[in-house]
Amino acid sequence: MSEIPGDLKFLKSHEWVRAEGNGRVTVGISDHAQSLLGDLVYVELPEVGASVEAGNAVAVVESVKAASDVYSPVSGRVAEVNTALADKPETINEDAYGEGWLFVIEGVDEDQLAELLSPDDYAELIEGEED
């Protein structure tokens, strides 16, 4: 199992969130999720400026095996998307918690972050899936 960064929060559906301060968060999919999907070949990202609601599908990642929705962990407005993924979706496979980020949401209520899974809780979740 890969190392889970301690500064992240997670959804049960395997999205991660890194608080950047000023009500901004960066969102991606976990290393566990990308390993389950296999080699990613396409990423569909939300539009900059789009409003997103926590729990709603906002992006799609597609691998040679399957397409999978990416859910927004928090509500807010899409401030930025990782356009480099259009040409290199495999970046998510190579660096899920770094260069493989998907989008940035702004206007996030900090209370929403408290409702997400801690790295330890997420590790327990994926260990339970593997049993």
Side-chain angles (χ1 to χ4, degrees), residues 19-127:
E20 306 292 354
N22 298 336
R24 287 173 64 101
V25 299
T26 300
V27 179
I29 65 168
S30 72
D31 192 55
H32 178 73
Q34 72 75 23
S35 67
L36 291 175
L37 285 166
D39 294 336
L40 294 173
V41 294
Y42 177 73
V43 179
E44 183 181 312
L45 297 169
E47 294 285 320
V48 171
S51 289
V52 295
E53 291 291 320
N56 287 357
V58 294
V60 176
V61 289
E62 205 170 295
S63 71
V64 290
K65 291 184 196 175
S68 183
D69 286 333
V70 176
Y71 299 94
S72 183
V74 293
S75 298
R77 189 179 72 79
V78 177
E80 206 177 319
V81 296
N82 189 348
T83 54
L85 297 177
D87 295 326
K88 263 193 93 187
E90 66 272 16
T91 303
I92 297 169
N93 296 116
E94 296 160 2
D95 189 11
Y97 297 123
E99 294 299 312
W101 63 276
L102 298 175
F103 51 91
V104 174
I105 300 174
E106 64 185 8
V108 175
D109 182 344
E110 298 286 325
D111 291 343
Q112 292 182 68
L113 297 175
E115 296 170 19
L116 302 173
L117 297 172
S118 71
D120 289 344
D121 291 341
Y122 181 69
E124 281 180 33
L125 174 78
I126 57 179
E127 282 172 23

